[in-house]
C-alpha cells in the first residue's frame, strides 16, 4: 500500500512539474568572451513531445568569427540525456561579422520524450578552440495535451 501511495505522489509531482512554463536562461561563460547572447526564445514555448523544438539566440559580437563548433548538451532532472556538436556556420550565416547575428538550433523531440524539467547548455568555441559564448536554459517539456494556452514567447532571464 505504501508503494502505491509513493508511486501516486511521484506521478502527481511529475505531472505538476510538466505544466510549469517558467523557462529561465542565463549566461554560463566565464571571463571575457567575444559573443554576448541578448535573449533566448523557445519555439514552441513550452516544447512539446513529438514536435520540433527550436532555440533562437539573438547575439552581438565585436569581432569576425570565421567558424566554430557549438556543443549542445541536455539534461533531464539533472541527468545528461543528449549531447552533440553542431557546426556554428550550419546555424548562422558565416563568417559572422562584428555586430548582431542570430544563432538558431532545431531538434525534433520524439513522441516518447518524457515531460518534465530539462536543462540545455549551448557552449560555442571558435575554430581555434577559444570560447565564444555559453548559454544555459532551464525549461519544461510538456505532452501534447498539456500545451493549452501557451505561445511562442521570450524566455525569462534568471
Amino acid at each position: 500500500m505504501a508503494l502505491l501511495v509513493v508511486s501516486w505522489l511521484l506521478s502527481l509531482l511529475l505531472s505538476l512539474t510538466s505544466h510549469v512554463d517558467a523557462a529561465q536562461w542565463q549566461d554560463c561563460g566565464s571571463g571575457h568572451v567575444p559573443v554576448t547572447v541578448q535573449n533566448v526564445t523557445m519555439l514552441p514555448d513550452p516544447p512539446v513531445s513529438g514536435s520540433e523544438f527550436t532555440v533562437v539566440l539573438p547575439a552581438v559580437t565585436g569581432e569576425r568569427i570565421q567558424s566554430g563548433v557549438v556543443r549542445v548538451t541536455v539534461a533531464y532532472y539533472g541527468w545528461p540525456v543528449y549531447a552533440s556538436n553542431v557546426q556554428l556556420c550550419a546555424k548562422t550565416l558565416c563568417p559572422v561579422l562584428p555586430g548582431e547575428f542570430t544563432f538558431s538550433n532545431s531538434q525534433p523531440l520524439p513522441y516518447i520524450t518524457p515531460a518534465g524539467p530539462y536543462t540545455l547548455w549551448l557552449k560555442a568555441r571558435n575554430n581555434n578552440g577559444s570560447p565564444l559564448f555559453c548559454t544555459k536554459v532551464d525549461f519544461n517539456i510538456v505532452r501534447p495535451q498539456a500545451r493549452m494556452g501557451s505561445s511562442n514567447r521570450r524566455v525569462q532571464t534568471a
Side-chain angles (χ1 to χ4, degrees):
M1 180 67 171
L3 182 59
L4 181 62
V5 171
V6 170
S7 295
W8 179 80
L9 286 173
L10 184 57
S11 295
L12 179 63
L13 177 63
L14 290 174
S15 169
L16 291 174
T17 303
S18 68
H19 295 288
V20 176
D21 294 344
Q24 301 283 319
W25 76 275
Q26 63 185 351
D27 179 63
C28 56
S30 58
H32 173 74
V33 291
V35 174
T36 301
V37 174
Q38 298 175 317
N39 198 14
V40 174
T41 302
M42 301 166 68
L43 306 169
D45 185 10
V48 180
S49 299
S51 66
E52 188 169 84
F53 165 51
T54 301
V55 178
V56 180
L57 286 74
V60 64
T61 183
E63 63 184 52
R64 179 185 175 106
I65 302 168
Q66 223 26 63
S67 64
V69 174
V70 180
R71 179 71 173 170
V72 179
T73 307
V74 179
Y76 175 62
Y77 280 102
W79 293 91
V81 294
Y82 177 82
S84 71
N85 290 327
V86 297
Q87 293 299 313
L88 178 67
C89 297
K91 306 299 179 177
T92 193
L93 184 62
C94 283
V96 176
L97 301 176
E100 296 181 357
F101 71 99
T102 300
F103 172 87
S104 178
N105 188 57
S106 297
Q107 180 70 39
L109 297 173
Y111 185 77
I112 62 170
T113 302
Y118 288 80
T119 301
L120 166 70
W121 290 272
L122 298 167
K123 297 179 181 182
R125 296 189 171 276
N126 67 16
N127 54 353
N128 296 323
S130 298
L132 293 172
F133 68 85
C134 179
T135 300
K136 176 186 171 198
V137 184
D138 292 312
F139 64 99
N140 287 291
I141 291 178
V142 298
R143 298 297 302 158
Q145 68 276 14
R147 192 170 176 261
M148 299 181 308
S150 64
S151 63
N152 295 336
R153 60 182 178 266
R154 290 185 170 187
V155 176
Q156 298 294 319
T157 303

